[in-house]
Amino acid sequence: MQDNATEVTAAGIARLAGVGRAAVSNWRRRHADFPRPVGGTETSPAFALAEVEEWLRRHRKLAEVPLKERVWQQLAGHPDGPVTALVHAGCALLLIHDRPPVWLDISSGTDERLAALLPTALDEVLTPRVPGTARPGRTDRSRVNGQNPVNTQPAATPVTPATPATPATQATPATPPTPALAIPTAPRLLPSVPLLRGVAELAADRGARPTFEFLLGRHLDANPRQYTLTPPDLAGLMAALVGTPATVLDPSCGTGALLRAVADRPDRRLHAQDSSPELAALTALRLALHTRAPVHAAAGDTLRADAYPGLRADAVLCHPPFNERNWGHDDLAYDPRWEYGFPARTESELAWVQHALARLRDGGTAVLLMPPAVASRRSGRRIRADLLRRGALRAVVALPAGAAPPYSVPLHLWVLRRPDRTHAQPELLLVDAGRFTAEGRGGPDWPGVRETVLDAWGAFDRDGGVEERPGVARSVPVIELLDDDVDLTPARRLPPPADTDGAGRLADVRARLDETLRLTAELAPPPAEPVPSAASGRLPLTTVGELARAGALVMRTGGHGGRARVPVLTDHDVLAGTAPSGTLPESEEEPVLTEPGDVVLPVLGGGAVARVVDDATAGAVLGRNLVLLRPDPAALDAWFLAGFLRGTANHRQASSYASTATRLDVRRLQLPRLAPDEQRRYGERFHALDAFEGALREAGRLGEQLVRGMYDGLTDGTIAPE
């Protein structure tokens, strides 16, 4: 009966059956036995997962619900919410990972027995792995900022409660930090037992750690607006800048990406804190599954109620919240952490900088992700000046746009070191990696960014300076920076790129543009020959859905996860005709990989677009909001299929319209029934049109590049006006 508590929305049903939401709506109207809603709202009803599964099987809409999908739907529809379900699943996975015989023993009986025995088993695992975990039976003090953490129990005792300084006037007393995790009691675990059994079955196939990464990745991907994530490539770069420290702190840990990226060593100790109890709990479990090192994790407002006031870490990694006004300015005026000056109300980031320095040992390194305005705002110039004078700020790195949210802003990395000696002639390393910005939405060229930044920092850290690279890197004497503005923006302090990047490069672009324009003229289609009216409009039609049922093609939908380091074909790539540019969340979900001859269509946006996968694109993962059609070559020509699916009228009749979006039902798209030879005739013509379209795109891209380069060269003096 517990499984019946799990609910699933219409979107979840569509995902289970591999159809669009419109098909689910049709089933509800056409089938009187379709399950009735058990929750949700009138416009977004929720259904019992068990009833939906049974109905899908009875009507042969689904032979068997995939295990990973069943587990995900159980988690997403958990009666206490997906975060509580994810925490319970993580606890069970840690037990399975560390002590599989114990799990096999306690899970062999009834659900009630499993729920009763699990808290004791979790106590034996969590207490050494996540020190400070709250045990059942203690007084509940786990409220943070007026909210109950996701794992509220009658047990929660703060982990090393902080003693914030008491200002002359303190408007809002700080809530003490609390343990990130509390061992759930048997009554709290009982509704989760069906989920935990499914999670254990999934872990037997995938492993405990990949299973948790899959579930966490799906949860984060399903709630993109609730979380600000640190991309894995950026986390790896920040971790590489601090080397291999033994003790590492992340005072704004989020989902734990930064601590997870730190290089392992036998004596490593990790410390994490986040104001969100949800994130603190998920981070503690994620890190415990990732490493054997002790994971100290706490929930609470770091600036107002620091969980580790006595810590002196080897390294601090931090992606702090940006542009916060309510960071504690009125409460913390006399806090001893402000060694370099009391931050203004608008300078919350400089409060995080000084907190990081206060938690470092002498000579320890901190790397913080910062908005670019922090390097130049006048309200922070005095603190920036003191950081420079005392040698605490060692490097400012300008990242390319797209490195992290907000993706339109080129963020900065600040590398700091707690001074352990006085520098005779202090210098600041400035690096600008903006040239590694990639076109489209695939993010920057991370290998180029990583090599440039680490090479410059390694030389600067070793020798105290770097060889100047125009437009890329320079070590600047601090005295040059201590003017009225103390502006540390790298682009304003670096010499312009060398002339060799100007006129010579543009000449090459011009030559490529001339060649592309000639090719475009050659590929232009010949004058169209109209079809006599008596012969038009008489072709018998079929639909994609009918072809799929007949086995002439296979239809797959894009997913949310897949293998790391595999490029993802996004809907933007298909619309723009570009190479795969997307990235995957860290997940072990089985991806849909493209093959030559596949036809890919975006289902959102209303554009009549279909793309045939070639050898260069094959092997990419199919991204979200895309449908893949894999035709049987003996029955369907790929270019014939793609060409007819691009018809404007065809898309119009197969699309549904909402107030703000258009969604394509691929199964309703039509194409004529033609013999293979006739299909190939159409396919050759469609293939030629595709080549012409690609040449036009390339010509437009090169033309824009040439115009932009000419403007830049004329304005910066690297190109003469003659």
Side-chain angles (χ1 to χ4, degrees), residues 544-564:
V544 169
E546 292 172 348
L547 291 171
R549 287 191 291 272
L553 59 82
V554 174
M555 188 168 72
R556 302 289 300 276
T557 57
H560 295 263
R563 304 184 184 97

Short mmCIF file of all heavy atoms in Angstrom, two decimals, residues 544-564:
data_model
loop_
_atom_site.label_atom_id
_atom_site.label_comp_id
_atom_site.label_asym_id
_atom_site.label_seq_id
_atom_site.Cartn_x
_atom_site.Cartn_y
_atom_site.Cartn_z
N VAL A 544 4.03 9.40 -38.84
CA VAL A 544 5.19 8.86 -38.14
C VAL A 544 4.76 7.81 -37.13
O VAL A 544 5.42 6.78 -36.95
CB VAL A 544 5.98 10.00 -37.45
CG1 VAL A 544 7.02 9.45 -36.49
CG2 VAL A 544 6.63 10.90 -38.48
N GLY A 545 3.63 8.06 -36.46
CA GLY A 545 3.14 7.08 -35.50
C GLY A 545 2.83 5.74 -36.14
O GLY A 545 3.15 4.68 -35.58
N GLU A 546 2.20 5.76 -37.33
CA GLU A 546 1.90 4.52 -38.03
C GLU A 546 3.18 3.81 -38.47
O GLU A 546 3.28 2.58 -38.39
CB GLU A 546 1.00 4.81 -39.24
CG GLU A 546 -0.40 5.28 -38.86
CD GLU A 546 -1.19 5.74 -40.07
OE1 GLU A 546 -0.58 5.91 -41.14
OE2 GLU A 546 -2.41 5.95 -39.93
N LEU A 547 4.16 4.58 -38.93
CA LEU A 547 5.43 3.99 -39.34
C LEU A 547 6.15 3.35 -38.15
O LEU A 547 6.79 2.31 -38.28
CB LEU A 547 6.31 5.05 -39.99
CG LEU A 547 5.84 5.55 -41.36
CD1 LEU A 547 6.68 6.75 -41.79
CD2 LEU A 547 5.94 4.44 -42.41
N ALA A 548 6.05 4.00 -36.97
CA ALA A 548 6.68 3.44 -35.78
C ALA A 548 6.01 2.13 -35.38
O ALA A 548 6.69 1.15 -35.01
CB ALA A 548 6.63 4.45 -34.63
N ARG A 549 4.68 2.09 -35.44
CA ARG A 549 3.98 0.85 -35.09
C ARG A 549 4.28 -0.26 -36.08
O ARG A 549 4.29 -1.44 -35.72
CB ARG A 549 2.48 1.12 -35.01
CG ARG A 549 2.06 1.91 -33.78
CD ARG A 549 0.54 1.91 -33.61
NE ARG A 549 -0.12 2.69 -34.65
CZ ARG A 549 -0.35 4.01 -34.57
NH1 ARG A 549 0.06 4.68 -33.50
NH2 ARG A 549 -0.95 4.64 -35.53
N ALA A 550 4.53 0.11 -37.35
CA ALA A 550 4.82 -0.89 -38.37
C ALA A 550 6.27 -1.34 -38.34
O ALA A 550 6.65 -2.27 -39.06
CB ALA A 550 4.47 -0.34 -39.74
N GLY A 551 7.11 -0.69 -37.54
CA GLY A 551 8.51 -1.08 -37.45
C GLY A 551 9.39 -0.45 -38.50
O GLY A 551 10.57 -0.81 -38.64
N ALA A 552 8.86 0.52 -39.28
CA ALA A 552 9.67 1.18 -40.30
C ALA A 552 10.66 2.17 -39.70
O ALA A 552 11.62 2.55 -40.36
CB ALA A 552 8.77 1.89 -41.31
N LEU A 553 10.40 2.59 -38.48
CA LEU A 553 11.33 3.47 -37.77
C LEU A 553 11.16 3.29 -36.27
O LEU A 553 10.14 2.76 -35.81
CB LEU A 553 11.12 4.95 -38.18
CG LEU A 553 9.75 5.60 -37.97
CD1 LEU A 553 9.56 6.09 -36.54
CD2 LEU A 553 9.58 6.78 -38.93
N VAL A 554 12.17 3.71 -35.54
CA VAL A 554 12.14 3.70 -34.07
C VAL A 554 12.17 5.14 -33.59
O VAL A 554 12.94 5.96 -34.12
CB VAL A 554 13.35 2.92 -33.50
CG1 VAL A 554 13.40 3.02 -31.98
CG2 VAL A 554 13.29 1.47 -33.94
N MET A 555 11.35 5.46 -32.61
CA MET A 555 11.29 6.82 -32.08
C MET A 555 11.82 6.84 -30.66
O MET A 555 11.42 6.03 -29.83
CB MET A 555 9.86 7.36 -32.12
CG MET A 555 9.76 8.84 -31.76
SD MET A 555 8.14 9.56 -32.13
CE MET A 555 7.15 8.80 -30.87
N ARG A 556 12.74 7.77 -30.37
CA ARG A 556 13.31 7.93 -29.03
C ARG A 556 13.23 9.40 -28.65
O ARG A 556 13.32 10.30 -29.51
CB ARG A 556 14.78 7.49 -29.00
CG ARG A 556 15.02 6.06 -29.43
CD ARG A 556 14.51 5.06 -28.41
NE ARG A 556 15.16 5.23 -27.12
CZ ARG A 556 16.34 4.69 -26.81
NH1 ARG A 556 17.00 3.97 -27.72
NH2 ARG A 556 16.86 4.86 -25.61
N THR A 557 13.10 9.66 -27.34
CA THR A 557 13.07 11.04 -26.83
C THR A 557 14.34 11.33 -26.05
O THR A 557 14.93 10.42 -25.45
CB THR A 557 11.85 11.26 -25.93
OG1 THR A 557 11.87 10.32 -24.86
CG2 THR A 557 10.57 11.11 -26.71
N GLY A 558 14.77 12.60 -26.07
CA GLY A 558 15.97 13.00 -25.34
C GLY A 558 15.78 12.89 -23.85
O GLY A 558 14.67 13.01 -23.32
N GLY A 559 16.89 12.64 -23.15
CA GLY A 559 16.83 12.44 -21.71
C GLY A 559 17.49 13.54 -20.92
O GLY A 559 17.84 14.60 -21.45
N HIS A 560 17.71 13.26 -19.63
CA HIS A 560 18.25 14.25 -18.68
C HIS A 560 19.67 13.92 -18.25
O HIS A 560 20.26 14.70 -17.52
CB HIS A 560 17.35 14.33 -17.44
CG HIS A 560 15.98 14.83 -17.73
ND1 HIS A 560 15.63 16.14 -17.54
CD2 HIS A 560 14.88 14.20 -18.20
CE1 HIS A 560 14.35 16.30 -17.88
NE2 HIS A 560 13.88 15.13 -18.27
N GLY A 561 20.20 12.80 -18.64
CA GLY A 561 21.51 12.44 -18.15
C GLY A 561 22.23 11.55 -19.13
O GLY A 561 21.77 11.31 -20.24
N GLY A 562 23.39 11.08 -18.72
CA GLY A 562 24.18 10.22 -19.58
C GLY A 562 25.61 10.17 -19.11
O GLY A 562 25.94 10.56 -18.00
N ARG A 563 26.47 9.71 -19.97
CA ARG A 563 27.87 9.57 -19.60
C ARG A 563 28.56 10.91 -19.59
O ARG A 563 28.34 11.76 -20.45
CB ARG A 563 28.57 8.63 -20.58
CG ARG A 563 27.90 7.26 -20.68
CD ARG A 563 28.70 6.35 -21.59
NE ARG A 563 27.99 5.08 -21.76
CZ ARG A 563 27.21 4.82 -22.79
NH1 ARG A 563 27.03 5.73 -23.71
NH2 ARG A 563 26.61 3.66 -22.89
N ALA A 564 29.44 11.09 -18.63
CA ALA A 564 30.19 12.33 -18.54
C ALA A 564 31.13 12.46 -19.74
O ALA A 564 31.55 11.48 -20.34
CB ALA A 564 30.98 12.37 -17.23
#
